[in-house]
Amino acid sequence: MLASDFKREVGQAMEKFKMFQELFGARVHLVYINTPGAFESSTNLKQKLEHAAQKYGLQNYTINVYNDTVEEDGILHFAQEVRADLIMMATHGRTGFAHLLSGSIAEDLVNHTQIPVLTLQLK
């Protein structure tokens, strides 16, 4: 599964995500975690995900909007529901003070799941 906000910077990592998908012949579940603090309509989000899939030439994928209270929980719950073998996500790789302010969803995931987490740092 690929968890993302599907903003333009995810394009930097999409080719590598596609490489992993092709290597294993996998179906990729694109998922946006919709939280109360950043809520958007499901219709708009599904269009955004479909646009990203088309833009990057993805094959063999599903579009998913998952509602949860926080992103980390949503990613974990969705991964369990679809029995994901791998969680992929792009990260900004913040360190120091920036890391203290915003934290790291990827780091929290790694510490709370048995599912492998593949992160690619955005530049």
Side-chain angles (χ1 to χ4, degrees):
M1 66 173 270
L2 172 57
S4 177
D5 60 7
F6 295 92
K7 293 185 176 164
R8 64 187 143 98
E9 63 262 8
V10 76
Q12 299 172 6
M14 194 59 81
E15 287 304 315
K16 291 180 182 166
F17 289 140
K18 283 174 51 178
M19 181 186 71
F20 273 89
Q21 179 191 17
E22 292 168 6
L23 180 66
F24 294 104
R27 172 179 298 250
V28 65
H29 300 283
L30 304 178
V31 63
Y32 180 99
I33 306 302
N34 207 12
T35 61
F39 185 82
E40 290 187 52
S41 77
S42 294
T43 301
N44 289 344
L45 290 171
K46 287 178 182 178
Q47 288 174 350
K48 181 190 248 185
L49 271 64
E50 186 63 45
H51 179 264
Q54 297 300 315
K55 179 178 179 179
Y56 300 112
L58 292 180
Q59 302 287 320
N60 194 18
Y61 63 90
T62 65
I63 299 290
N64 304 275
V65 175
Y66 194 88
N67 298 316
D68 215 315
T69 54
V70 293
E71 291 166 330
E72 177 193 347
D73 290 346
I75 292 169
L76 291 172
H77 295 150
F78 181 79
Q80 290 168 349
E81 277 188 26
V82 298
R83 296 182 180 165
D85 297 313
L86 176 68
I87 299 170
M88 299 186 298
M89 58 189 309
T91 180
H92 288 96
R94 293 183 183 103
T95 59
F97 191 64
H99 178 71
L100 283 174
L101 290 176
S102 63
S104 170
I105 295 171
E107 184 178 340
D108 291 342
L109 281 173
V110 168
N111 290 324
H112 295 107
T113 185
Q114 297 297 314
I115 301 169
V117 178
L118 172 69
T119 61
L120 294 174
Q121 185 172 347
L122 299 172
K123 297 178 182 181

